[in-house]
Amino acid sequence: MSASFRVTVSPNELNENDMLMEELPPEAALDGPPPDMDHLLQRTLGTVREERHQAVRRRGRITALSSTLVVAGVLAGGVWLGQGMGVGGTENADALLQGTSPAGARMAVQVTETEGGLKLVATVDGMQDGEACWLVVHTKDGRTFTAGSWRAHGGEVTLAGSAMVRAGDVAGVSVVNHDRQPLVTAQ
């Protein structure tokens, strides 16, 4: 006995089957993965790694360049600001005044003219220990300007002071005591 089967497929079922086949990518119809899949995967991963490495290097270069520009800007600003404030050679060293007293006190004063007056750096030695001292600038027209003060101790002392007078008007610089008596004068 032979059996025969007859299969009937409606047109709607064929349309559904066609629609399902259209949704699948062409790779799904292949039997197994493509033969060069490992090579393709390795190439893709290598490309991704190289692009990431280049991006990291590019960021590093940008960071280094930015840091260099910031440091250069800070240094340039410091030099400009320093020149504007009288630092770095914009002052004129006018004179080195020296003097010795009969009691053996010695003084040397570096007088430097600045935009606002004088800068004085005095080195004094031989003052009596504990003596209250004032550094005084004398002008040619008889005026006096106090440029600094300190209490003497045994040994040499160096101090900085300033006075609002022009270097050309200075007649001398003295160290005076509490009674305004000169202890040593440099001219």
Side-chain angles (χ1 to χ4, degrees), residues 90-121:
T90 60
E91 300 171 338
N92 299 320
D94 292 327
L96 176 63
L97 307 176
Q98 296 181 346
T100 305
S101 75
R106 293 180 309 280
M107 177 171 64
V109 182
Q110 176 71 45
V111 178
T112 305
E113 188 162 16
T114 65
E115 288 182 28
L118 292 181
K119 176 180 160 188
L120 306 165
V121 178

Side-chain angles (χ1 to χ4, degrees), residues 113-152:
E113 188 162 16
T114 65
E115 288 182 28
L118 292 181
K119 176 180 160 188
L120 306 165
V121 178
T123 302
V124 182
D125 190 19
M127 297 291 116
Q128 184 177 357
D129 194 26
E131 181 86 49
C133 301
W134 284 265
L135 186 65
V136 177
V137 177
H138 304 281
T139 62
K140 294 176 182 176
D141 62 1
R143 295 178 296 157
T144 60
F145 296 88
T146 302
S149 64
W150 74 101
R151 185 157 306 273

Side-chain angles (χ1 to χ4, degrees), residues 14-125:
L14 283 175
N15 285 338
E16 287 177 18
N17 194 24
D18 286 343
M19 287 183 355
L20 286 175
M21 288 301 283
E22 287 177 10
E23 291 177 13
L24 293 175
E27 291 84 14
L30 297 175
D31 292 331
D36 63 346
M37 184 172 156
D38 286 340
H39 180 65
L40 179 64
L41 178 63
Q42 293 302 323
R43 268 192 8 222
T44 304
L45 291 175
T47 302
V48 169
R49 285 186 193 116
E50 181 61 28
E51 288 175 358
R52 180 182 165 110
H53 180 68
Q54 288 176 355
V56 168
R57 287 177 54 198
R58 192 171 26 252
R59 274 195 310 264
R61 287 184 196 134
I62 290 170
T63 301
L65 179 63
S66 299
S67 299
T68 302
L69 291 174
V70 167
V71 168
V74 167
L75 289 175
V79 168
W80 177 76
L81 185 62
Q83 289 175 345
M85 295 178 74
V87 178
T90 60
E91 300 171 338
N92 299 320
D94 292 327
L96 176 63
L97 307 176
Q98 296 181 346
T100 305
S101 75
R106 293 180 309 280
M107 177 171 64
V109 182
Q110 176 71 45
V111 178
T112 305
E113 188 162 16
T114 65
E115 288 182 28
L118 292 181
K119 176 180 160 188
L120 306 165
V121 178
T123 302
V124 182
D125 190 19

Side-chain angles (χ1 to χ4, degrees), residues 146-184:
T146 302
S149 64
W150 74 101
R151 185 157 306 273
H153 57 77
E156 182 178 279
V157 64
T158 300
L159 69 136
S162 61
M164 291 184 59
V165 71
R166 290 188 20 217
D169 294 337
V170 175
V173 179
S174 297
V175 174
V176 299
N177 64 10
H178 184 68
D179 297 323
R180 296 301 210 194
Q181 298 299 315
L183 302 173
V184 62

